[in-house]
Amino acid sequence: QNDFQFLSVAPAAGTILYHTETILVCYSIEEPPMPYVDGFVLPIPIKKLNEYLDIATRAAEIWQEYGALAYWECVLDDADAMEARTFPSLLATSPEETVILAWAVFSDKAARNEANGKICTDPRVAELMDRDAPLFDLQRMAYGGFKTLVKK
């Protein structure tokens, strides 16, 4: 006779316990890790957007080769912040500049760290930027790694 009685759930561990007269069964239910996101914003001269598009397209291929699940590069279209600080004011852009908002999504922080280690040593990445004549001011770029707070 398989007459199981539900005993308890230990939410912190995600463990569900059942027992019969002869057997104690324990199932562990682990939630998959939430995606980890590297994000950045940077100012770029409007006249250099086409050149930046080429670099961003090649960067996307490299990042995805090393495990990025998604890679986005977006250019500012609407800076009306409705009582909030705008990206142009945050980055102190000139009228000749616009803003890029970009992010790469990884399965988790460990995958991101492993990918970034490989990305940083990939010679193709060094070829993307001309250190003597950079497309944008690296001192005004903001970057960070983000834990997912909500994913729907």
Side-chain angles (χ1 to χ4, degrees):
Q1 183 183 40
N2 289 335
D3 205 11
F4 289 95
Q5 178 185 6
F6 176 72
L7 285 182
S8 68
V9 176
T15 302
I16 300 174
L17 300 175
Y18 291 91
H19 91 291
T20 67
E21 290 181 17
T22 57
I23 300 173
L24 177 66
V25 179
C26 177
Y27 296 98
S28 179
I29 301 172
E30 293 186 27
E31 291 187 27
M34 293 291 275
Y36 197 82
V37 178
D38 271 356
F40 59 92
V41 292
L42 60 96
I44 187 154
I46 295 168
K47 66 182 181 184
K48 294 186 178 183
L49 270 174
N50 285 336
E51 193 175 346
Y52 185 80
L53 174 62
D54 179 55
I55 290 169
T57 302
R58 290 188 293 159
E61 293 169 0
I62 296 167
W63 262 249
Q64 289 184 305
E65 179 182 322
Y66 288 119
L69 304 174
Y71 185 96
W72 291 71
E73 297 251 7
C74 307
V75 63
L76 183 67
D77 179 59
D78 182 359
D80 183 10
M82 300 192 299
E83 299 185 31
R85 187 169 184 185
T86 66
F87 281 107
S89 72
L90 182 70
L91 297 174
T93 60
S94 72
E96 294 82 33
E97 294 177 311
T98 189
V99 176
I100 298 292
L101 169 67
W103 63 92
V105 179
F106 295 91
S107 59
D108 56 32
K109 187 175 183 179
R112 174 271 205 153
N113 290 345
E114 182 179 343
N116 281 351
K118 294 175 182 175
I119 290 165
C120 289
T121 60
D122 190 310
R124 295 173 296 171
V125 173
E127 293 169 5
L128 293 177
M129 296 293 287
D130 180 352
R131 298 247 181 236
D132 296 326
L135 283 180
F136 57 89
D137 183 354
L138 288 167
Q139 297 299 313
R140 292 167 50 214
M141 177 177 130
Y143 163 83
F146 297 81
K147 293 180 185 178
T148 297
L149 186 61
V150 174
K151 179 180 179 267
K152 290 282 185 188

